[in-house]
Amino acid sequence: MSGKKAVKKSNKKNSNLRLVKSGMTKGKQKEKADQKEKIEQKIRFGRVKRLVILSAILILLLIALASGYIYIVDNYTITTVYVEGNVHYTNEEIIAMVMDGRYGNNSLFLSLKYRDKGIDNVPFVQTMDVTVESKDTIRIKVYEKAVAGYVAYLGRYIYFDKDGIVVETSEESTPGIPQVTGLSFSHVILHEPLPVENQAVFEDILNITQLLEKHSLPVDKIYFSPDYQVTLIFGNARVAMGASADIDEKIMGLQYMLPSLEGKSGTLDMREYTEDTKMISFEPD
């Protein structure tokens, strides 16, 4: 009986207690939300600020690049070109090869393009060097392959050097380089000697072409007979020189006679010519 009363008394006493839930109050929740919003605003502002700074940097960079481009175009345009060493190609053709492309007329671009290297793979040319002398001036040095003459073979012109080695073939003849006729050969291979019976003939050809160039005698053809007698052909006029042994003094004397052959057709016989006898004859056609 006393136990039951004790229980009732205990229940009555506990009825005055309040249940309090754990966690933050509404005020603290709002304060935390406000702080979170401020942090997010700062983050968004930081992103926008960085974007504005990057955009400004990019715009300034573009302006600097545009200004630099305009400066380079205005101040490095080539107006003067010197060309040296070219025989096979004209100055205009050499310039067109070197200054090709969109920025081919810009000296700064060319200095980068041809730095420490020349221009190869051009027919008749060993290499070409390009030197930028100033912002508006460049110099092109052409190193052509050493050509002594050429022969016609199967519709093409075969160019050879002083040793008779074929250095180039072309469908066009080159002014200033004599054609050699009378030589017999069965085939032609690039970078190999012309297969003629007497290889010593190429020394004679080189000697003749050098002497003709020295005395400014524009020969059209050099003819070798089967016994290697030499005839020089100037237009319709032929000059029989004979053997190549004494050809030096004959060509020296020819420089004074050639003007009288202009417009004539025939053969000037200098086979017996010496500096002492000066024996010559002319037989018109």
Side-chain angles (χ1 to χ4, degrees), residues 250-282:
K250 293 178 182 178
I251 291 179
M252 188 181 298
L254 178 60
Q255 65 179 319
Y256 304 107
M257 306 175 199
L258 192 60
S260 64
L261 296 177
E262 188 174 354
K264 294 183 179 179
S265 178
T267 301
L268 176 68
D269 191 346
M270 295 186 66
R271 287 176 296 178
E272 302 300 326
Y273 176 90
T274 66
E275 191 173 0
D276 296 327
T277 63
K278 294 182 171 46
M279 291 181 59
I280 60 170
S281 64
F282 180 77

Side-chain angles (χ1 to χ4, degrees), residues 4-217:
K4 292 181 179 179
K5 288 181 179 179
V7 171
K8 288 181 179 180
K9 185 178 181 181
S10 174
N11 289 339
K12 185 177 180 180
K13 190 175 181 179
N14 291 338
S15 63
N16 296 323
L17 298 175
R18 287 190 305 113
L19 179 63
V20 179
K21 295 182 179 180
S22 62
M24 296 182 294
T25 63
K26 291 182 179 180
K28 289 186 177 180
Q29 287 179 344
K30 185 176 184 303
E31 181 181 350
K32 186 175 182 180
D34 291 342
Q35 290 177 349
K36 184 178 180 182
E37 178 66 21
K38 289 179 180 179
I39 293 172
E40 290 178 350
Q41 287 179 354
K42 288 182 179 180
I43 292 173
R44 287 195 295 271
F45 178 77
R47 290 175 179 172
V48 172
K49 184 178 180 180
R50 286 194 296 271
L51 182 60
V52 170
I53 293 173
L54 289 175
S55 299
I57 292 173
L58 181 60
I59 292 172
L60 291 174
L61 182 60
L62 291 174
I63 293 173
L65 290 175
S67 300
Y69 174 80
I70 294 172
Y71 175 81
I72 290 172
V73 170
D74 290 344
N75 292 274
Y76 288 85
T77 299
I78 297 170
T79 58
T80 305
V81 181
Y82 298 103
V83 182
E84 302 174 353
N86 54 310
V87 174
H88 185 84
Y89 298 101
T90 64
N91 290 350
E92 290 75 16
E93 289 172 327
I94 294 295
I95 292 172
M97 293 178 197
V98 173
M99 299 174 61
D100 66 328
R102 183 176 180 181
Y103 300 107
N105 66 338
N106 185 274
S107 61
L108 185 59
F109 172 78
L110 292 185
S111 67
L112 296 174
K113 181 178 181 180
Y114 298 119
R115 185 198 304 182
D116 300 327
K117 69 175 182 178
I119 303 173
D120 304 322
N121 302 320
V122 176
F124 297 98
V125 174
Q126 195 71 34
T127 187
M128 288 190 289
D129 291 336
V130 181
T131 304
V132 178
E133 298 194 342
S134 66
K135 292 189 295 185
D136 61 354
T137 304
I138 66 170
R139 185 178 299 274
I140 305 170
K141 180 65 176 178
V142 183
Y143 298 91
E144 293 194 349
K145 294 177 180 178
V147 177
Y150 71 89
V151 295
Y153 182 73
L154 299 179
R156 296 186 67 85
Y157 298 106
I158 314 301
Y159 293 83
F160 56 86
D161 65 10
K162 62 182 180 63
D163 299 314
I165 297 175
V166 178
V167 296
E168 200 67 63
T169 67
S170 175
E171 295 180 352
E172 298 179 357
S173 60
T174 302
I177 300 177
Q179 180 180 1
V180 178
T181 61
L183 301 182
S184 298
F185 48 89
S186 58
H187 63 276
V188 170
I189 301 177
L190 191 62
H191 305 311
E192 292 191 9
L194 279 173
V196 298
E197 182 179 352
N198 181 11
Q199 289 290 318
V201 70
F202 296 112
E203 294 182 12
D204 295 335
I205 294 172
L206 178 64
N207 182 46
I208 292 170
T209 55
Q210 288 178 337
L211 288 168
L212 292 170
E213 183 178 357
K214 177 181 178 181
H215 297 290
S216 302
L217 300 176

